[in-house]
Amino acid sequence: MLVFVLHGPNLNLLGTREPDVYGTLTLDEINARLHDLARELGVEIECFQSNEEGELINILHAAARRAAGVVFNPGAFTHYSLALRDAVAAIGIPTVEVHLSNIHAREPFRRRSVIAAAAAGQISGLGIESYLLGLRAVVALARKRAGDGS
Amino acid sequence: MLVFVLHGPNLNLLGTREPDVYGTLTLDEINARLHDLARELGVEIECFQSNEEGELINILHAAARRAAGVVFNPGAFTHYSLALRDAVAAIGIPTVEVHLSNIHAREPFRRRSVIAAAAAGQISGLGIESYLLGLRAVVALARKRAGDGS
Amino acid sequence: MLVFVLHGPNLNLLGTREPDVYGTLTLDEINARLHDLARELGVEIECFQSNEEGELINILHAAARRAAGVVFNPGAFTHYSLALRDAVAAIGIPTVEVHLSNIHAREPFRRRSVIAAAAAGQISGLGIESYLLGLRAVVALARKRAGDGS
Amino acid sequence: MLVFVLHGPNLNLLGTREPDVYGTLTLDEINARLHDLARELGVEIECFQSNEEGELINILHAAARRAAGVVFNPGAFTHYSLALRDAVAAIGIPTVEVHLSNIHAREPFRRRSVIAAAAAGQISGLGIESYLLGLRAVVALARKRAGDGS
Amino acid sequence: MLVFVLHGPNLNLLGTREPDVYGTLTLDEINARLHDLARELGVEIECFQSNEEGELINILHAAARRAAGVVFNPGAFTHYSLALRDAVAAIGIPTVEVHLSNIHAREPFRRRSVIAAAAAGQISGLGIESYLLGLRAVVALARKRAGDGS
Amino acid sequence: MLVFVLHGPNLNLLGTREPDVYGTLTLDEINARLHDLARELGVEIECFQSNEEGELINILHAAARRAAGVVFNPGAFTHYSLALRDAVAAIGIPTVEVHLSNIHAREPFRRRSVIAAAAAGQISGLGIESYLLGLRAVVALARKRAGDGS
Amino acid sequence: MLVFVLHGPNLNLLGTREPDVYGTLTLDEINARLHDLARELGVEIECFQSNEEGELINILHAAARRAAGVVFNPGAFTHYSLALRDAVAAIGIPTVEVHLSNIHAREPFRRRSVIAAAAAGQISGLGIESYLLGLRAVVALARKRAGDGS
Amino acid sequence: MLVFVLHGPNLNLLGTREPDVYGTLTLDEINARLHDLARELGVEIECFQSNEEGELINILHAAARRAAGVVFNPGAFTHYSLALRDAVAAIGIPTVEVHLSNIHAREPFRRRSVIAAAAAGQISGLGIESYLLGLRAVVALARKRAGDGS
Amino acid sequence: MLVFVLHGPNLNLLGTREPDVYGTLTLDEINARLHDLARELGVEIECFQSNEEGELINILHAAARRAAGVVFNPGAFTHYSLALRDAVAAIGIPTVEVHLSNIHAREPFRRRSVIAAAAAGQISGLGIESYLLGLRAVVALARKRAGDGS
Amino acid sequence: MLVFVLHGPNLNLLGTREPDVYGTLTLDEINARLHDLARELGVEIECFQSNEEGELINILHAAARRAAGVVFNPGAFTHYSLALRDAVAAIGIPTVEVHLSNIHAREPFRRRSVIAAAAAGQISGLGIESYLLGLRAVVALARKRAGDGS
Amino acid sequence: MLVFVLHGPNLNLLGTREPDVYGTLTLDEINARLHDLARELGVEIECFQSNEEGELINILHAAARRAAGVVFNPGAFTHYSLALRDAVAAIGIPTVEVHLSNIHAREPFRRRSVIAAAAAGQISGLGIESYLLGLRAVVALARKRAGDGS
Amino acid sequence: MLVFVLHGPNLNLLGTREPDVYGTLTLDEINARLHDLARELGVEIECFQSNEEGELINILHAAARRAAGVVFNPGAFTHYSLALRDAVAAIGIPTVEVHLSNIHAREPFRRRSVIAAAAAGQISGLGIESYLLGLRAVVALARKRAGDGS
């Protein structure tokens, strides 16, 4: 079972950008921790980061062909990218939206996700745990789904 | 006379994506039908699809140099891409916005087009007919315009 | 196959009223062009104009009994007549909402149609072409519907 | 004691129009049931239906001259006809607004009645019972009023 | 010089309806006072009252053919009848909107006129003086207009 | 057949509290009138009053186990208690929301019921008749439901 | 009988400032026309102009001691000066709000008057006629008031 | 290490209430699964359910004295109970808000949590996994916190 | 003369909860200070704290029977408990709403009190002085009221 | 210790202006009562009234140089004078906003104070007691502040 | 060439007032720096500060007679003084609005300028540079204007 | 010292696109003028234009590594690209937002910048001067910053 992990805009700067908001872990460290957990759960993951909305859409489309689910941190696209919402709705595999920070405790414009309604669920505010729990959730959903289909 | 037909994000998935909303025709089938109609109307068309807002802007700019009009389905960009709106306003050739589904009968956020005010007109809800009528409209407008200039 | 063409309030003044917004064609000229196209498409049309909301509702009800579809320009009723919306929803035959001007590029109150969600689709901004394409659309929808039922 | 029963726009289509929303009873059947109840309550009723706002106002004005109260289903006018609201406020006899469907459980625009504040009360969601209870309410209010004045 | 005076819905009840809001003068008394002033100003007036939006539109259209201006109290249509707004905008003769009560001091929904922007001006809150001043204003505007055209 | 009658917060003060708004009947008198009507209709009722949202939820849960329907006046909870809304939606027996005063003619915050969409219907503005008609409505719905299930 | 005429901020620039909006008459010319009409009506007027909100309040307070009514063009203060509103409400003599331009046909922020609800009435859009009719209205109201008190 | 699991209003009906929204698991089954996971993680849990806002506040206060963190499903209180928000903010131990359903994909009023800003994070839409991941998150946060303090 | 002092939800945690917002005084210390002032003013007080909305309503009802006035800090209920508002309106004795913190300088949702309109007045932002001044205010109002009635 | 008492626009009319809203006390009587209380508290006061926003700002600036605190009734400026808000924020001495009437129980626009967030606190609805308690509050805050600095 | 520099309310306190927001430069130091730059640019400047809206309007009117442009920091009037907006629109010389702080990064009410639409442009957030660049901009615009007119 | 100049979507069309709004200068001419000024100020600049949001983010990230500041005209992205806002916030070097046209005097949607709050400041409405002053501002800020760090 393959799971895509998708990091949105500016997340390549993690660890250096506003560390009081986003923590000091780098994206590589997060990916490493995710690989560890993937091994523990018996699944494979592929990690992507892009600052381009269109490229993120393309990766989601690729996920539909190759993966069983997606862990997706859309970054600031969370709040306005209806094109990403439509992509998540279109691909038909479980997608869990994750956020490092508690978006509900920040500026008003960050409290609304236009993507969440198309995702299976949303996890926010738990730092790297948001990603790790997101991976657990996707695997659980994908396995249940695979089981349903058997 | 050359007309551009421009398909926005996620429309490459047509026929597989939410067929109850968007129908079962693929993008290739729509393009084929548009080519048939173009022949009937005595014009040429070129069809493009992109999931990237910037690329769509670039194609609109190219249309200003090469084409007499544009049939444009902006997909989810319809509802927030002011950059596409500005591109449509800038290019100075007739652009007709088209939608397969009736955007006025869907979620509230889909009822508002930020692009329509810059377009010549909008056609929605008629399935593939939206495209075909859109092509007829662009040709009519472009011919009238060419006639005005003669 | 009979199609009703329904013109709403103030459209009897077409050609004289605010010609920079609505053009210089009279209603009779529009109806004549529609008759030409109807012949070309092999259908019959009947054209009505009324400034009275209740009379428009009555004509829509009559359409349900006699016609296969409706081309409907609700004029200013577009923006508040929920009674017309309910009539369109009730009659169960394809209705296409048309507008001469681009309602999305005018005053904010004209950008919202309370009727569109009950119609099959909406065409706006294309002058007389809005009506002509609207007739094409209704005929296509009605024929598809007749075909489905056979 | 005479009570007017007033049915607003599109209610003439009852039984055929969107039966999942409005039920399968026809307007004649509802009127018959109301006549039965009127007999039981010892009052007379006259029933009217109109799709025209102005005609409904005229009937309300006539009610002020002839009747002791009104059972009024304003249909879609409920949500915008301030002219009907003023008519209800002006006539000075008990008017009870009734709705077959639960307007509070439908589209947002149907949840607001501009007329209710001028009526004595509102009953919604109970199908034909809305009318029957509405008649009981009007009779009770009118009798109490008559009693107060004696 | 002929001026139309147009009274909207429920104004036929003047003098009996909510006299604390609208005063005790009847519509006939108002019309009589207007005829007196018309004579003083050397103009003719014709007075109309209707509860039907469509009929009011028809009278406005007739005014465009026969009169030099209109004094118009749209009653509750003031707040939502965009069809009347379009009629006022279409007829191209000076129209002054008048209100007996001070609409700006009443319920919030009465503070907004959708018609005023299409009228030459608005006079409210001055009881019968609103009509009398309205007639003076229309005559002044129509004479200035006639003078401009000479 | 058993019906619960549920009175919400502050209704224990009826007859003493703001009698110009809520009338001079006490809660005991209302309950007595409801018992009379219940006898007439051949059903039993149990009446409850609580100022505690949680207790009202518990009684609704009990109703699901013991009763065939509920007449519910949620008092001020009407306007914000989504927990009561969920309880009404959960219990699966007909619940009719009733109000002594015309909530649509009072302060803006009282015009919105968050519970009504989960109830079968709503009756307001008719004083004690709101309760009596509410009981009639619940009995009618419950009997129809029992009949459907037989 | 003395009437105050009060001109608010920037009206000292009349005739030079945005003549397409406010006309070419100067303030002195308007005052002269008002003096002519005052003579015709048999009253005296005093004219004031100030760009200072506090000074306008002081003049309104003086009017309460010396004058029988006020013709008041609050200029841009119309849209936010609640202190002027309170002054108008406090002085207890008839005040008519006047505007040269049709405030309902301009920018959205100009369509709302926070003062109108405290005034006797409002006249807008009629150029210098707004002032002249305003003076007629104040005199009529003040004479009626004097008559009431006799 | 002790963790409180707190279930809000109507969750005692789980398994029977709207199973298409909330699933068929009962609350006891969820609690059993949570106990299994607690054992696996080496912590203890205590589970509470209440329909009373005040009782939930009291339990949160007790948690501050006895537990290291809270898994909290506030049910419908999520959307308006500012008192619960203040309790979560006051107790100073990690609280994770969980929801069985995807609140962002339901009615608009369910998309806003007034509590989330005071919680450490929020997990929604993942069915029983929301609870299980919530427990993992609380344990991770509490252990990190204990580690920070050592 | 007896005055009730009523502390709402979470105020039992005072002194420990968010001391930068609410100060370091405990509830007992506040009550002690209030008792001192009561002695000075020659009145008796009884102090209550509850986290339960329904219990607070019950205490307000008891106040109507036993006390001359109420000092009430509704805590977070300030912002949504319309049931408490109705209780304050119903009891007919002077109630002064008090807040330790300046609610107008905090989060937007804290700036609106749904209770204040039913109270005699509101005092906020002055720490323990809010309570002490609140007690002085209630005593002054109650004595004036008693004097009025003598 | 010197305290400024500042009365805003129209308060010079107190006792004569809308006595049902503002009471029958004159401003001189209020100032006399404040002088009595000042003597009792062992402080000096200076009282000012102005209808001019700019003059009120200048007095606040003077207070920063000469006084230990300010009791401020901004009158209608409360609701829009951001310049006064900035002045209160700038002067750095305790300012308590007071209102004779209960601004939360009046027109919607009076419920919002743009100044309160910059003040130490707000007292409203208690008639002259609002001023007297305001003086007590300022003295208490200023003494605490002086004590902190000693 | 003469340029006016206009400082609005509370700016006389610069350097002492909230230095973390507005910096430690005094107004005199800013004016001195502006004089230096004026010399460098070969223009003269006159600097004014006032806390009174009316006086600022008067100075703007004077600028129209004497100066070639205005650098204007309207302080808090930025957000509501439509009278100043009208003055800027009326004077017909280039006016550049400047702000020391970044108004777009502060409280929501500071993000909206009602004056900017009437100004030539706006510069904010750059501390004293906002003024210096503002002077450069005004000189450039005035010279271009003078050049256009030559 | 190196400064990046960043031009957003559609700015490549400058000089040809809507010249009445954006002027007749081409982008090359603007860049040339900026190079002249850079030489005068003793700094280097690099100029970029892109229609792709993601590419603009990448360039901003590069600026953080290579440049001392950024002059940024985000074009239509100004109004919705929260991803660009986050990039500006993340890079930690002075960024000044510039606009050729006065965005505050155009359509409502153009008046709001979602980026400005993350930038050091904003300059709009001054044509090419907006860029030139923007460059001056960035250099001043960067030099001050370099000075602070020395």
Side-chain angles (χ1 to χ4, degrees), chain D residues 1-5 63 66-71 93-96 138 142:
Chain D
M1 179 174 280
L2 175 66
V3 173
F4 273 28
V5 176
R66 297 184 48 224
V70 184
V71 176
I93 55 173
T95 302
V96 172
V138 167

PDB file of all heavy atoms in Angstrom, chain D residues 1-5 63 66-71 93-96 138 142:
ATOM      1  N   MET D   1     -70.250  33.645  10.687  1.00  0.00           N
ATOM      2  CA  MET D   1     -68.838  34.080  10.594  1.00  0.00           C
ATOM      3  C   MET D   1     -68.192  33.531   9.322  1.00  0.00           C
ATOM      4  O   MET D   1     -68.235  32.333   9.081  1.00  0.00           O
ATOM      5  CB  MET D   1     -68.066  33.595  11.828  1.00  0.00           C
ATOM      6  CG  MET D   1     -66.590  33.984  11.823  1.00  0.00           C
ATOM      7  SD  MET D   1     -65.765  33.535  13.362  1.00  0.00           S
ATOM      8  CE  MET D   1     -66.264  34.857  14.449  1.00  0.00           C
ATOM      9  N   LEU D   2     -67.613  34.448   8.553  1.00  0.00           N
ATOM     10  CA  LEU D   2     -66.985  34.066   7.286  1.00  0.00           C
ATOM     11  C   LEU D   2     -65.470  34.172   7.397  1.00  0.00           C
ATOM     12  O   LEU D   2     -64.944  35.159   7.924  1.00  0.00           O
ATOM     13  CB  LEU D   2     -67.495  34.996   6.170  1.00  0.00           C
ATOM     14  CG  LEU D   2     -66.844  34.816   4.783  1.00  0.00           C
ATOM     15  CD1 LEU D   2     -67.191  33.461   4.182  1.00  0.00           C
ATOM     16  CD2 LEU D   2     -67.315  35.929   3.839  1.00  0.00           C
ATOM     17  N   VAL D   3     -64.777  33.170   6.902  1.00  0.00           N
ATOM     18  CA  VAL D   3     -63.311  33.165   6.880  1.00  0.00           C
ATOM     19  C   VAL D   3     -62.848  32.986   5.441  1.00  0.00           C
ATOM     20  O   VAL D   3     -63.392  32.147   4.719  1.00  0.00           O
ATOM     21  CB  VAL D   3     -62.737  32.041   7.771  1.00  0.00           C
ATOM     22  CG1 VAL D   3     -61.230  31.943   7.613  1.00  0.00           C
ATOM     23  CG2 VAL D   3     -63.117  32.268   9.225  1.00  0.00           C
ATOM     24  N   PHE D   4     -61.885  33.815   5.041  1.00  0.00           N
ATOM     25  CA  PHE D   4     -61.283  33.639   3.709  1.00  0.00           C
ATOM     26  C   PHE D   4     -60.092  32.679   3.814  1.00  0.00           C
ATOM     27  O   PHE D   4     -59.315  32.748   4.776  1.00  0.00           O
ATOM     28  CB  PHE D   4     -60.765  34.980   3.182  1.00  0.00           C
ATOM     29  CG  PHE D   4     -61.767  35.807   2.445  1.00  0.00           C
ATOM     30  CD1 PHE D   4     -63.130  35.725   2.720  1.00  0.00           C
ATOM     31  CD2 PHE D   4     -61.354  36.703   1.462  1.00  0.00           C
ATOM     32  CE1 PHE D   4     -64.052  36.512   2.038  1.00  0.00           C
ATOM     33  CE2 PHE D   4     -62.271  37.494   0.773  1.00  0.00           C
ATOM     34  CZ  PHE D   4     -63.615  37.395   1.060  1.00  0.00           C
ATOM     35  N   VAL D   5     -59.968  31.797   2.824  1.00  0.00           N
ATOM     36  CA  VAL D   5     -58.769  30.966   2.702  1.00  0.00           C
ATOM     37  C   VAL D   5     -58.081  31.377   1.412  1.00  0.00           C
ATOM     38  O   VAL D   5     -58.702  31.330   0.344  1.00  0.00           O
ATOM     39  CB  VAL D   5     -59.103  29.469   2.685  1.00  0.00           C
ATOM     40  CG1 VAL D   5     -57.841  28.647   2.457  1.00  0.00           C
ATOM     41  CG2 VAL D   5     -59.789  29.062   3.979  1.00  0.00           C
ATOM     42  N   ALA D  63     -61.484  40.997   2.100  1.00  0.00           N
ATOM     43  CA  ALA D  63     -61.671  40.284   3.362  1.00  0.00           C
ATOM     44  C   ALA D  63     -61.961  41.265   4.491  1.00  0.00           C
ATOM     45  O   ALA D  63     -62.790  41.006   5.375  1.00  0.00           O
ATOM     46  CB  ALA D  63     -60.433  39.436   3.690  1.00  0.00           C
ATOM     47  N   ARG D  66     -65.555  41.918   4.310  1.00  0.00           N
ATOM     48  CA  ARG D  66     -66.552  40.848   4.350  1.00  0.00           C
ATOM     49  C   ARG D  66     -66.292  39.749   5.372  1.00  0.00           C
ATOM     50  O   ARG D  66     -67.215  39.054   5.770  1.00  0.00           O
ATOM     51  CB  ARG D  66     -66.652  40.214   2.962  1.00  0.00           C
ATOM     52  CG  ARG D  66     -67.146  41.185   1.875  1.00  0.00           C
ATOM     53  CD  ARG D  66     -67.295  40.440   0.563  1.00  0.00           C
ATOM     54  NE  ARG D  66     -68.027  39.197   0.742  1.00  0.00           N
ATOM     55  CZ  ARG D  66     -67.684  38.008   0.206  1.00  0.00           C
ATOM     56  NH1 ARG D  66     -66.640  37.927  -0.579  1.00  0.00           N
ATOM     57  NH2 ARG D  66     -68.390  36.923   0.454  1.00  0.00           N
ATOM     58  N   ALA D  67     -65.033  39.546   5.750  1.00  0.00           N
ATOM     59  CA  ALA D  67     -64.739  38.347   6.529  1.00  0.00           C
ATOM     60  C   ALA D  67     -64.259  38.692   7.939  1.00  0.00           C
ATOM     61  O   ALA D  67     -63.914  39.845   8.243  1.00  0.00           O
ATOM     62  CB  ALA D  67     -63.678  37.512   5.820  1.00  0.00           C
ATOM     63  N   ALA D  68     -64.225  37.656   8.774  1.00  0.00           N
ATOM     64  CA  ALA D  68     -63.787  37.838  10.164  1.00  0.00           C
ATOM     65  C   ALA D  68     -62.329  37.444  10.352  1.00  0.00           C
ATOM     66  O   ALA D  68     -61.758  37.710  11.421  1.00  0.00           O
ATOM     67  CB  ALA D  68     -64.661  36.994  11.087  1.00  0.00           C
ATOM     68  N   GLY D  69     -61.740  36.833   9.337  1.00  0.00           N
ATOM     69  CA  GLY D  69     -60.345  36.410   9.462  1.00  0.00           C
ATOM     70  C   GLY D  69     -59.890  35.752   8.175  1.00  0.00           C
ATOM     71  O   GLY D  69     -60.694  35.473   7.284  1.00  0.00           O
ATOM     72  N   VAL D  70     -58.578  35.483   8.084  1.00  0.00           N
ATOM     73  CA  VAL D  70     -57.995  34.926   6.862  1.00  0.00           C
ATOM     74  C   VAL D  70     -56.977  33.836   7.198  1.00  0.00           C
ATOM     75  O   VAL D  70     -56.141  34.033   8.088  1.00  0.00           O
ATOM     76  CB  VAL D  70     -57.274  36.019   6.024  1.00  0.00           C
ATOM     77  CG1 VAL D  70     -56.752  35.442   4.715  1.00  0.00           C
ATOM     78  CG2 VAL D  70     -58.183  37.202   5.752  1.00  0.00           C
ATOM     79  N   VAL D  71     -57.099  32.712   6.498  1.00  0.00           N
ATOM     80  CA  VAL D  71     -56.041  31.698   6.486  1.00  0.00           C
ATOM     81  C   VAL D  71     -55.268  31.919   5.207  1.00  0.00           C
ATOM     82  O   VAL D  71     -55.843  31.860   4.124  1.00  0.00           O
ATOM     83  CB  VAL D  71     -56.624  30.271   6.513  1.00  0.00           C
ATOM     84  CG1 VAL D  71     -55.513  29.234   6.393  1.00  0.00           C
ATOM     85  CG2 VAL D  71     -57.452  30.061   7.767  1.00  0.00           C
ATOM     86  N   ILE D  93     -57.938  42.362  10.585  1.00  0.00           N
ATOM     87  CA  ILE D  93     -58.634  41.150  11.045  1.00  0.00           C
ATOM     88  C   ILE D  93     -57.595  40.056  11.182  1.00  0.00           C
ATOM     89  O   ILE D  93     -56.550  40.095  10.533  1.00  0.00           O
ATOM     90  CB  ILE D  93     -59.758  40.702  10.079  1.00  0.00           C
ATOM     91  CG1 ILE D  93     -59.199  40.519   8.650  1.00  0.00           C
ATOM     92  CG2 ILE D  93     -60.897  41.710  10.071  1.00  0.00           C
ATOM     93  CD1 ILE D  93     -60.215  39.916   7.688  1.00  0.00           C
ATOM     94  N   PRO D  94     -57.850  39.075  12.047  1.00  0.00           N
ATOM     95  CA  PRO D  94     -56.824  38.054  12.301  1.00  0.00           C
ATOM     96  C   PRO D  94     -56.456  37.285  11.036  1.00  0.00           C
ATOM     97  O   PRO D  94     -57.326  36.747  10.346  1.00  0.00           O
ATOM     98  CB  PRO D  94     -57.475  37.114  13.318  1.00  0.00           C
ATOM     99  CG  PRO D  94     -58.601  37.876  13.904  1.00  0.00           C
ATOM    100  CD  PRO D  94     -59.049  38.862  12.877  1.00  0.00           C
ATOM    101  N   THR D  95     -55.164  37.248  10.740  1.00  0.00           N
ATOM    102  CA  THR D  95     -54.656  36.493   9.605  1.00  0.00           C
ATOM    103  C   THR D  95     -53.619  35.516  10.123  1.00  0.00           C
ATOM    104  O   THR D  95     -52.714  35.910  10.859  1.00  0.00           O
ATOM    105  CB  THR D  95     -54.012  37.441   8.578  1.00  0.00           C
ATOM    106  OG1 THR D  95     -54.989  38.392   8.171  1.00  0.00           O
ATOM    107  CG2 THR D  95     -53.485  36.685   7.374  1.00  0.00           C
ATOM    108  N   VAL D  96     -53.768  34.255   9.761  1.00  0.00           N
ATOM    109  CA  VAL D  96     -52.783  33.244  10.155  1.00  0.00           C
ATOM    110  C   VAL D  96     -52.083  32.743   8.899  1.00  0.00           C
ATOM    111  O   VAL D  96     -52.739  32.322   7.944  1.00  0.00           O
ATOM    112  CB  VAL D  96     -53.438  32.086  10.924  1.00  0.00           C
ATOM    113  CG1 VAL D  96     -52.444  30.954  11.151  1.00  0.00           C
ATOM    114  CG2 VAL D  96     -53.961  32.594  12.274  1.00  0.00           C
ATOM    115  N   VAL D 138     -57.781  30.828  13.337  1.00  0.00           N
ATOM    116  CA  VAL D 138     -58.476  32.044  12.920  1.00  0.00           C
ATOM    117  C   VAL D 138     -59.849  32.124  13.575  1.00  0.00           C
ATOM    118  O   VAL D 138     -60.256  33.190  14.074  1.00  0.00           O
ATOM    119  CB  VAL D 138     -58.594  32.098  11.381  1.00  0.00           C
ATOM    120  CG1 VAL D 138     -59.583  33.180  10.961  1.00  0.00           C
ATOM    121  CG2 VAL D 138     -57.235  32.353  10.762  1.00  0.00           C
ATOM    122  N   ALA D 142     -60.954  35.053  15.996  1.00  0.00           N
ATOM    123  CA  ALA D 142     -62.062  35.915  15.586  1.00  0.00           C
ATOM    124  C   ALA D 142     -63.185  35.870  16.621  1.00  0.00           C
ATOM    125  O   ALA D 142     -63.818  36.894  16.908  1.00  0.00           O
ATOM    126  CB  ALA D 142     -62.576  35.477  14.216  1.00  0.00           C
TER     127      ALA D 142
END
